[in-house]
Amino acid sequence: MRIKTISRSVDEFTRERSQDLQRVFHNFDPSLRPMEKAVEYQRALTAAKLEKIFARPFVGAMDGHRDGISCMAKNPNYLKGIFSASMDGDIRLWDIATRRTVCQFPGHQGAVRGLTVSTDGNVLVSCGTDCNVRLWSVPRPSLEDSDLSSEKSTEVVHCLFFLITLYSLVLLFILITSFFLSQPSAVYTCKNALLAVDHQFEGDLFATAGAQLDIWNHNRSQPVQSFTSGSHSVISVRFNPGEPDILATSSGDNHISIYDIRMSSAARKILMRTKTNSIAWNPMEPMNFTAANEDGNCYSFDGRKNEEAKCVHKDHVSAVMDIDFSPTGREFVTGSYDRSVRIFPYNGGHSREIYHTKRMQRVFCVKYSSDATYVISGSDDTNLRLWKAKASEQLGVILPREQKKHEYNEAVKNRYKHLPEIKRIVRHRHLPKPIYKAKAESRAMNDAKRRKDERRKAHSAPGTVVTESHRTRRIIKEVE
Amino acid sequence: MGGLKRKSSSSAKTLAKSKKKKGPHLPNSILKVIANQKRPLNSDEEDDDVIGSDDEHGGDLYEYEEGVPEEESRKNNRYDRHDNYDYELPEDFEPWIVFLVACHCESKSKPVLFTEAYPEGEFNPTRDVLEGKNVLTEEDFLAPLEGTPGYQKTSKQIARMRKDTKHVVHAPLPKPQRERLERKAVIGLVDEEFSKWVHLVKKNREAPTVYFNQDVDLGYSTVGAIASEFQPRTDFEKKMASVLNDSEVSMEDHIKDRNHIAKMRSLLFRHELKSKRIKKIKSKTYHRLKNKDLKNSSLGALIDPEMAKEEAMRQEAKRVEERMTLKHKNTGKWAKRMISRGLNVKYDGTKAAIAEQLQMNATLSRKMNSMRDGSSSDESDDEEELNDGSDEDTPSRLIAKAKEKTLRALEDDEVPNAGLMSLPFMARAMKKKNEEANEEAKRALEEYEEWENSGGENSKKTVNVSGRRVFGATAKVEAPKESRKDSDNFYDDSDSDNDMAGIEDNNIEPVRDNASPARNTITDTEKFDDDVAGNPASKTTFDVAMFASGSWKKMTGSKNTESKKASKKTRAPTPQAQDKKGSRDEESEDSESEAEEMVDGVLTFASKETFEVPSQAELINRAFAGDDVLDEFEKDKEEVLNQEVPKPEKPVLVPGWGNWTDIQRKRGISKQMVQKHEAEKKEWEQGLKTRKDARLKHVIISEKVDKKAEKLHTTTLPFPYTSKEVFEHSMRMPIGPEFNPSTIVGELNRPEVVKKTGVIIKPVKFEEVNPNDEVDDEHPRNHQKQRPKKKTSRRQGKVKSK
């Protein structure tokens, strides 16, 4: 008879420090754990429920503007700063961490319609309905950094005798910072009102959209190049982050055009049934872009094949006003006229998340933060709102074990997301009543239309009635 | 010249006209009349000019007719070309061509005489134009110039131009067409730009995890990293650095080291060459001597399996000798005396010496190869099978067979003349044994003949008579005395079986040949006939024993429960029991048990005569006489069906429910209820029909839905999966830390995107990606660049490689 003995060497089992964990041995034989699937399913269920419990996406609002926010720009070089402009011509720089205005840029008469920051984060470009393009130099971030932290540290360090004087100093400091006004470094004037501006990635060109598309250099008072197309004005322009010379525009005559600024004319033109309000390029896939359309859908296109959209992202019940890609390229955020912000996967037909509050009005602009962790929305109610990109994400420092646990929960949930119970919990969202009703209504309309089409098809000669796919339905043609 | 002048005047007129035309729109005829009336009022200058111009062409009455609005006149085809002359002029452009063309056009636009009611236009061309006559050509213009200097040159040039179609400037394409062409060119370029990203994008998309936390520059992380970058600045530091650097490996040491390695390498090489050369030598004697050397060194045993075998054989011989002589088992004179006097207890030295002897004995007689103990039993099993097979033979045939074998054994009587068997004492022992065996064989032969005469009925009796048991019993009495006398064979008995098994397993044939005769008794029966060179005596004994035991088994085997076990035990010792009159305690035990079995066998044999074997069906019927299986099954099935497709309940009259008692009773069950019941019944029947086991009478196929398990199933195949198998395979293994080793848990649970809060993610940068490369996921989890210097160096390397 054989006796199996346990032999363990002292070397392997001696801990280096008393805090070290003891070695634990596991037998991974699956026959010993027949219930593993059930256990993991239960964990997935728990994780889904926990996600719901911890879903608190709203971080805070930034108020200060006196009119609806028209546009925003994020500083590509500095995470905490975000610029916003309102319909009354007010431009502000916000510190996201403290959610306060750091700096104001006065000067525009009338609404500011476009804002953009150069890639190095030094130059802010704004344009508006007053036919002006204004260039501003962005204050150094060190100024904002020493905002609150310095106050506290000085408080701690200094003794009581200087307390009163210190407070007065601090107050003065706050006053100065809150009324810190910047002067434009340059003002260029055009003939027509401007509706959008965007800066080239890692270059010194920027493009303005108005009656025509103009390409500007920082240092020239006249456009370097201009493109005209048709009689309608261009309403949005966006440079490709991967290919700095390529940009996409949308115009009032329902066209989406792709330009190469080294060439003299547009490369591609798509004619759609409805207007496109905004365009965003995928920062990780330079050939792909997504267009936010007036009909409440977003259309993802491949820049090389425009006769059909690659994906139609449906969920908004009203016009999509703005769109911004996550820097990871896997998601994008949209703001809509239906007073909601949604986050879509780049290849998914429906949104992953909807954000709304009671007081948030029409959303005119949205931005995804440069670290893909936050989403910022600017709306008609004069507020900027800061949201978490993942509603239930734990912020702050996370210890490795905690991190592992989160990852496991996520993986398990992702694994069993197809099962009915988990799917129901994960998908469930409370919607504002108007959106809920509008959705139900549109669903009813779509169903009716579909039914009618089916009947029409059934009662006509085969092949005469062709149902067009959703991906091509709203595209009239690609202009040759 | 005149033409030019006219052009200017006419343009002025048209301008004036267009200004005038801002009023109400009037037909041309009315306008004419008005113009005629107004003429005196108009400025003279204009009129004069007009008249003058008209005069040149022969006094036109309808001069105002020519003042058609520009738009109308443009309707004429001939004017179309005018609009498109704003393109760039070619290099070899000559202004006078333009002049000629202009003249040509002007001349056509201004007919000399208007004989038509309507002004000349697109839909009303002049007759000249229609007929193709009177059209002005270049010659017409050149005619007056004839004779002037340069005429020849000009006419030549024109002629050349007519021939030369290459240099003719064509009209540019219309704008939409031109734009389309331009766009096409741009599209090609832009698509090319986009297409270069495809591989990179594909790689990113297919990667199980995309990392965005790589660009975190933590600076220096370890003390070593900091130290490696240290540059001495102050005097003290420099001094220290110089001292430290001195202690490093000097050049001489390095050279020494290198030389040493070179030497070793050359030695190795020479050795290799030498061994190659030796291998080539064909001389047998050389190799024999060499092998001998190797053998002597005892190192060879480790290398050569042949040698190992020989070694084992030698060891075995030693062991055999030890076991035969019992030199070290206290059988010596001295040892016996010591033990008999009890000195071994008294003195430690003696005790130790005896112990040492015993130890030596133990080591010498220890079995060498006990690797496969089970094999011997396997062999015996085989034998048993063989015997079982022989059981089926008729007794007469068996007897004949045995007889034949015995005779053959008697015939060949050879004595080996080499090896262990050739030793004198061995030979003597063999001879003795052979004689005994022969005697036995003869006796057996007689017995066979007797059996043959008496027939199969006597077989039982003869077996009893075969007398092994008797021998065994007598041997038991004699055992103590005999054990000493013929100890050589006696000890062989004890474990010869096992020994042989062990050796045979190792395929050491020579040993078997040299082994003692007793051992050969247990060799494989199949080989038996072939091994004629073996010991005839032992063969005989074996055969006899086999037969005897077989015949015995035949009787006991019918009912005896432990027959197999018993036969296994007894068969091995039986030959010895027959060979000699002596046997050991162990054997006596066997004989006892056998005796009992024999009794059993007799009893059963007796009962067997009256027993008739019933048929299989009858047996089954008898066995299951009590229970009605079919009925039970039907009941079971009905129960299952009722559970899974419950039968609808019949509507029952419940007084007080639904109506007043009396009235209800009179009316009976309401129609509605009956209808409902009917519908339910139909549904139930349908449900029964659609079951899988509806037509299978003897089968129940459960269609019960496990509600608790249902939540673990999806109704449809989830999106990215295309087949059920793939999906199920992906769900097969758990991913938790309890079910997986910690080394792979991280990878199993890794999210698709790994990012870090607070780290700015830059847009994708172009890099060449080989599309054939597989996506590797051996990415470190927290891939943080810790040394900025290294990064720059890598970049430099890249630049260089480019």
Side-chain angles (χ1 to χ4, degrees), chain B residues 591-607:
Chain B
S591 64
E592 270 170 17
S593 65
E594 245 169 69
E596 282 166 17
E597 284 154 17
M598 291 294 283
V599 172
D600 272 357
V602 170
L603 281 172
T604 50
F605 195 77
S607 64

Side-chain angles (χ1 to χ4, degrees), chain A residues 243 266-268 407 415 480, chain B residues 183 187 191 730 733 781:
Chain A
E243 285 283 348
R268 282 187 186 277
E407 274 173 15
R415 183 166 225 228
E480 285 284 311
Chain B
R183 234 179 283 138
I187 282 173
D191 282 1
S730 77
M733 290 291 291
R781 183 166 184 71

Side-chain angles (χ1 to χ4, degrees), chain A residues 28 40 43 79 243 262-263 266-268 283-286 304 330 370-372 407-408 415 418 480, chain B residues 183 187 189 191 193 196-198 204-205 210 714 718 730 733 735-736 738 755 758-759 761-762 764 781:
Chain A
F28 297 112
E40 291 219 318
R43 281 183 188 159
L79 261 181
E243 285 283 348
R262 293 163 297 187
M263 309 289 169
R268 282 187 186 277
M284 286 295 146
E285 298 170 4
R304 297 164 298 165
R330 299 292 174 114
S370 303
D371 63 344
E407 274 173 15
Y408 177 53
R415 183 166 225 228
H418 313 296
E480 285 284 311
Chain B
R183 234 179 283 138
I187 282 173
L189 289 168
D191 282 1
E193 290 269 281
K196 76 177 184 189
W197 291 90
V198 168
N204 273 340
R205 277 196 178 184
V210 194
T714 53
S730 77
M733 290 291 291
I735 49 171
E738 289 92 342
K755 63 175 181 60
V759 176
I761 300 167
K762 293 263 157 63
V764 66
R781 183 166 184 71

Side-chain angles (χ1 to χ4, degrees), chain A residues 108-308:
Chain A
H108 274 289
Q109 318 285 320
V112 183
R113 301 307 297 264
L115 265 187
T116 186
V117 186
S118 65
T119 315
D120 56 4
N122 291 332
V123 181
L124 169 71
V125 184
S126 68
C127 68
T129 46
D130 59 352
C131 311
N132 278 340
V133 178
R134 282 165 195 266
L135 271 64
W136 317 78
S137 66
V138 176
R140 306 302 308 163
S142 56
L143 190 71
E144 305 126 41
D145 272 340
S146 60
D147 210 344
L148 273 176
S149 54
S150 64
E151 287 168 30
K152 279 180 186 167
S153 61
T154 43
E155 262 179 36
V156 172
V157 169
H158 289 275
C159 48
L160 278 168
F161 294 112
F162 299 102
L163 201 68
I164 297 156
T165 49
L166 234 172
Y167 263 114
S168 61
L169 268 173
V170 165
L171 278 172
L172 197 70
F173 187 61
I174 290 167
L175 275 173
I176 287 165
T177 49
S178 63
F179 289 101
F180 181 79
L181 302 177
S182 186
Q183 288 298 314
S185 57
V187 180
Y188 305 141
T189 313
C190 304
K191 280 178 201 156
N192 307 93
L194 297 166
L195 296 174
V197 64
D198 195 42
H199 201 282
Q200 192 181 21
F201 189 78
E202 280 179 351
D204 54 355
L205 297 178
F206 61 90
T208 57
Q212 59 188 15
L213 177 69
D214 289 327
I215 312 293
W216 303 73
N217 194 318
H218 284 177
N219 308 319
R220 303 254 182 114
S221 61
Q222 289 298 315
V224 182
Q225 202 178 357
S226 43
F227 301 93
T228 47
S229 64
S231 52
H232 281 266
S233 57
V234 184
I235 44 180
S236 77
V237 58
R238 204 64 84 90
F239 268 100
N240 191 336
E243 285 283 348
D245 290 327
I246 290 170
L247 58 86
T249 62
S250 68
S251 52
D253 54 353
N254 304 348
H255 275 103
I256 299 172
S257 321
I258 300 174
Y259 290 89
D260 190 328
I261 55 171
R262 293 163 297 187
M263 309 289 169
S264 58
S265 76
R268 282 187 186 277
K269 271 187 156 185
I270 315 161
L271 181 57
M272 298 191 69
R273 289 197 190 279
T274 37
K275 203 170 67 172
T276 296
N277 286 324
S278 181
I279 291 172
W281 289 93
N282 190 333
M284 286 295 146
E285 298 170 4
M287 70 280 258
N288 297 337
F289 66 90
T290 306
N293 207 283
E294 192 79 7
D295 63 358
N297 297 340
C298 294
Y299 297 90
S300 285
F301 287 98
D302 186 335
R304 297 164 298 165
K305 302 179 202 87
N306 291 338
E307 59 275 7
E308 68 165 21

